[in-house]
Amino acid sequence: MTESHRIARLLIVGPPGAGKGTQAQRIVERYGVPAISTGDIFRANIKGGTELGKRVQAIIEAGELVPDELTNEIVADRLGQSDAANGFLLDGYPRTVDQVHALDAVLDAQGASLDAVVLLEADTEEVVARLLKRAAVEGRADDTEEVIRHRQEVYAAQTAPLIELFSARGILVSVDGLGGIDEVSSRIADALDGKLSAVK
Ligand code: ADP
């Protein structure tokens, strides 16, 4: 069996600027599952001027989290689409304990559970520097230094505690996010292949 035919329900977590989006693309190519990025969903809605976009724009530009209830609803809906039935990679979700519980409930209802959580580790000063560089190229509204620093604080307070929770479940895979894109993606592939063959 090749990797792409195996059901893989995956998450990638790490501080803002660790390179989750870039690595998420590599992971989905390898495992043949859809990438579901809450940040991308919100940004597309802001760009499209939808009701959802209007509700979340100011929150995102301030580097705060979109309320759990709203985020949970969007993800539950997305996970109910047929392409997510044989696996997925969530990027940027869950970000709070409440979101973990909501995700567990959605998966429980399908008789499913997470297979692995990739933690992309990176030092705060390194990620702040990367995001400032990205700001110059992409011009994301939440990439000013003040908002970048605030997003790091929000991550430390709300999201970092989830790592312990996934570790206790035995599904955490920690990978050093420092280095070239290919170097990091092959580290992730090795670590994930090992974890997935251990749980199957
Ligand atoms: P980064 O990881 O670089 O901060 P993301 O694209 O994952 O970028 O998220 C950008 C913003 O979108 C977050 O700062 C937050 O405002 C909002 N957001 C994304 N995912 C979530 C989530 N799961 N819960 C609440 N807010 C979210």
Side-chain angles (χ1 to χ4, degrees), residues 16-17 20 38-39 42-43 60 64-66 71 92-93 95 99 134 140 142 151:
K20 294 187 298 291
T38 42
F42 292 139
R43 280 186 292 277
I60 290 178
E64 303 290 350
L65 294 184
V66 173
T71 309
Y93 181 93
R95 254 177 159 93
Q99 292 181 12
R134 180 175 81 186
R140 244 174 74 168
D142 59 349
R151 280 156 57 212

Side-chain angles (χ1 to χ4, degrees), residues 1 5 13 31 35 44 59 71 84 97 118 134 142 149-153 173 195-197:
M1 192 167 84
H5 295 294
V13 65
Y31 294 97
I59 299 171
T71 309
V97 173
V118 176
R134 180 175 81 186
D142 59 349
R149 295 226 178 251
H150 185 58
R151 280 156 57 212
Q152 302 296 334
E153 287 164 10
V173 167
K195 179 56 89 184
L196 292 174
S197 57

Side-chain angles (χ1 to χ4, degrees), residues 93-115:
Y93 181 93
R95 254 177 159 93
T96 65
V97 173
D98 181 88
Q99 292 181 12
V100 173
H101 293 151
L103 176 61
D104 286 344
V106 169
L107 295 180
D108 274 353
Q110 303 177 354
S113 61
L114 291 172
D115 296 302

Side-chain angles (χ1 to χ4, degrees), residues 16 74 78 136:
I74 288 160
R78 179 66 187 84

